[in-house]
Amino acid sequence: MVAHLLSLKWRLLLNGFRRSPGQIVGIAIGGLYALGVVATLIAVLVALRWADTETAHTAVVLGGAAAILAWAVVPLMASAADMTLDPSRFTTSAIPMRQLLTGLALAGFIGLPGLSTLLVALFTAATWWRSVPAVAGALVGAVLGVLSCVVLSKVVTTATASLAASRRFKDASSIVVFVPLVLMGPIVAGVVGGVSSSSDYLRTLARTVSWTPLGAPWALGGDLASGDVAGAGIKTLISLATLLGLFACWNALLKRALVTPRYAGGSGKRGGKLGLFGLLPATPTGAVAARALTYWLRDPRYAAALTVVPLLPVIFLFQSGQSGGYSMLIVLGPLTAFVLAWSISADVSYDNTAFALHLATGVRGIDDRLGRALACLAFALPVVLIFAVGPFFLTGDWDWLPGILGLSLGVLFTGLGLSSIVSARYTSSVPLPGDSPFKKPPGNVAQTLAVQFGGMAVLLVLLLPELVIVIVQSVTGDPTWGWINLATGPLLGVVLIVAGVRIGGRWLDRRGPELFAQLSVHR
């Protein structure tokens, strides 16, 4: 039965290469990327062969501990985790539990993550190619460590199987992963700064981690290389106890999952509440605005775009702390205005085939454009005002407040007007409804890039009056120009948003069916 499970996983892996050419290219790119990472890590492990014992021990232990943590966290957060041998699929199969556990554990090595981790772990023997006991300890530790990675991953995925079946959990986890990616610069700079300020910090940390289940298997080779046989023996017991404990947890969770498989049925909800549709005016514009606001609140694809906004002050505050001044914070208002205003440039593309509702009900183009713009403006305007005014409490340079505030409002209004035109004329390749916010279907990438960058260039041209006034104030130092910009930015912005809504509405009335046909291609 174990061999049958391994054969099944291998066939499922091979079937992945029989898909469309685009998917094959994606798999090939992923394989090349994994090969590059593995080659780099192997080269580092081989180079550590000539490093001192303490340095090699620190690198191997911390790297191995990070690998175990990654195997625990990534399947929890990644909505596209490998579920080809999902335990729930064996609910009706009378497979002995011991054989099922063994087969599923070994099947975890069939695939890029398992093979890559195993290969890199075995090459820790090259790092400890200094004595026979050290090499033997490294190989034993590699096997124990990789098995711990795979079994821990199975424990996590089995324990959270019911949550993983929830679309809300998948969407939320994808967004949570996106936050540290945005903050990667400050995080890396902080870690590098902390390490550089304390040269012994990593070595102390590695010695501590080596006595925990995360680092114990990876410390065997280093302990034997330094002659600490007793320490290596104790850490071997820790690693074995950890692996047996993980198998016991997995066994209990798997029994429960097979007896009571997850249920994906819907829950009953009481009707009668209209939500935003009951709060906003009962007009076509109000209905479109209510639907758009509902999307902003409940659709994770919109939430992913909004996630960037509260992180911008964090990034700018970090950069200001590094430079010793807060002057760069004054661009926070205009930048936030651009991010929020341009976020509706693909609004119709996000609707996908649901846009048929607008065509079937005969909603006028101007009502559609105005409703979407007002929905974005409802929360964008307060945020932009706060981000435009707030930095001056830190900088104290209040002479620049009128000019920056005028520029921020001009960017917001002008961007909404231009987005109303762009989304009525062009479609973009965006995540489909129900998909991960970061999963884009194959489409006309060239057109998407051309529309986005071309639209930004047009927006820059439309903002030239406000930008010129800011430059003039910067050169002359006369705060009067700031007050001129405070009047110019909102005035021109309102004119352009009105023009954009009207032009976009007319285009939508003329090209509604053609636009829907383009959207249908991305289903």
Side-chain angles (χ1 to χ4, degrees):
M1 182 54 67
V2 173
H4 181 72
L5 289 174
L6 295 178
S7 174
L8 178 62
K9 179 61 182 290
W10 178 249
R11 291 180 182 180
L12 290 172
L13 180 65
L14 292 180
N15 286 339
F17 294 94
R18 299 177 182 177
R19 302 174 182 176
S20 65
Q23 290 174 315
I24 295 177
V25 171
I27 294 174
I29 293 175
L32 291 175
Y33 178 78
L35 182 62
V37 172
V38 169
T40 302
L41 293 177
I42 288 176
V44 171
L45 290 173
V46 173
L48 287 173
R49 161 68 177 82
W50 291 275
D52 60 273
T53 303
E54 189 71 17
T55 300
H57 178 269
T58 299
V60 172
V61 169
L62 293 183
I68 293 179
L69 286 176
W71 273 84
V73 175
V74 171
L76 182 64
M77 295 299 181
S79 59
D82 182 13
M83 299 298 287
T84 51
L85 292 184
D86 187 355
S88 63
R89 300 182 180 182
F90 300 96
T91 302
T92 58
S93 302
I95 303 176
M97 185 57 64
R98 181 175 298 179
Q99 296 183 18
L100 182 60
L101 285 173
T102 305
L104 292 178
L106 294 178
F109 293 100
I110 300 178
L112 284 179
L115 289 176
S116 301
T117 305
L118 178 62
L119 187 60
V120 173
L122 291 177
F123 263 88
T124 56
T127 302
W128 302 116
W129 199 269
R130 311 178 188 208
S131 64
V132 174
V135 173
L139 290 175
V140 172
V143 173
L144 292 175
V146 176
L147 280 174
S148 298
C149 289
V150 174
V151 178
L152 178 59
S153 172
K154 299 298 183 182
V155 170
V156 172
T157 53
T158 306
T160 60
S162 59
L163 284 176
S166 169
R167 173 184 167 185
R168 289 184 178 273
F169 176 80
K170 293 179 181 179
D171 297 336
S173 62
S174 298
I175 296 173
V176 168
V177 172
F178 181 64
V179 173
L181 292 179
V182 175
L183 298 177
M184 186 60 68
I187 291 173
V188 172
V191 171
V192 171
V195 172
S196 61
S197 63
S198 177
S199 57
D200 296 330
Y201 172 74
L202 289 180
R203 295 186 177 185
T204 303
L205 178 63
R207 285 194 292 267
T208 303
V209 172
S210 67
W211 289 98
T212 68
L214 294 177
W218 313 106
L220 300 183
D223 287 349
L224 292 174
S226 60
D228 187 5
V229 179
I234 296 174
K235 291 173 183 176
T236 301
L237 294 178
I238 293 174
S239 302
L240 288 172
T242 300
L243 187 58
L244 291 175
L246 289 174
F247 265 111
C249 291
W250 188 22
N251 179 60
L253 291 169
L254 193 57
K255 285 182 178 178
R256 181 180 178 183
L258 293 176
V259 174
T260 56
R262 61 177 182 259
Y263 173 65
S267 58
K269 295 184 178 180
R270 297 178 61 184
K273 294 183 179 180
L274 296 177
L276 292 173
F277 289 92
L279 295 177
L280 296 179
T283 62
T285 299
V288 173
R291 190 177 76 89
L293 281 173
T294 302
Y295 276 14
W296 281 106
L297 294 174
R298 303 185 61 178
D299 194 326
R301 299 173 299 165
Y302 287 82
L306 290 179
T307 304
V308 180
V309 175
L311 298 180
L312 289 177
V314 178
I315 298 174
F316 278 94
L317 282 173
F318 176 81
Q319 295 296 335
S320 299
Q322 296 292 314
S323 62
Y326 296 98
S327 57
M328 67 173 59
L329 283 174
I330 64 174
V331 305
L332 186 58
L335 180 60
T336 303
F338 165 74
V339 171
L340 292 176
W342 198 247
S343 61
I344 67 170
S345 63
D347 220 22
V348 175
S349 298
Y350 279 116
D351 284 354
N352 203 260
T353 53
F355 182 65
L357 179 65
H358 289 232
L359 298 179
T361 54
V363 177
R364 293 192 308 160
I366 190 172
D367 293 327
D368 178 277
R369 303 290 86 192
L370 183 58
R372 296 176 189 268
L374 290 177
C376 183
L377 197 61
F379 62 86
L381 183 58
V383 172
V384 170
L385 290 176
I386 293 173
F387 282 10
V389 178
F392 292 97
F393 286 95
L394 296 176
T395 64
D397 195 1
W398 294 99
D399 290 340
W400 278 97
L401 174 59
I404 296 300
L405 183 58
L407 177 62
S408 301
L409 294 176
V411 172
L412 179 61
F413 295 146
T414 304
L416 288 174
L418 183 59
S419 296
S420 299
I421 297 176
V422 172
S423 64
R425 179 61 180 84
Y426 302 101
T427 60
S428 303
S429 180
V430 299
L432 297 176
D435 282 350
S436 168
F438 309 106
K439 178 184 177 181
K440 292 190 176 182
N444 194 342
V445 179
Q447 176 180 319
T448 300
L449 294 177
V451 170
Q452 294 297 312
F453 286 104
M456 293 177 190
V458 174
L459 180 60
L460 182 63
V461 173
L462 295 176
L463 291 172
L464 279 179
E466 294 97 313
L467 293 174
V468 169
I469 294 175
V470 170
I471 295 174
V472 171
Q473 181 182 358
S474 177
V475 173
T476 63
D478 187 358
T480 305
W481 289 101
W483 293 102
I484 295 175
N485 210 20
L486 182 58
T488 303
L491 180 61
L492 287 179
V494 170
V495 171
L496 291 174
I497 192 175
V498 171
V501 166
R502 289 183 176 275
I503 296 173
R506 285 199 297 267
W507 282 8
L508 204 60
D509 289 333
R510 288 201 307 263
R511 300 191 65 258
E514 291 82 358
L515 193 64
F516 177 71
Q518 295 178 9
L519 294 172
S520 301
V521 174
H522 301 301
R523 284 186 299 179

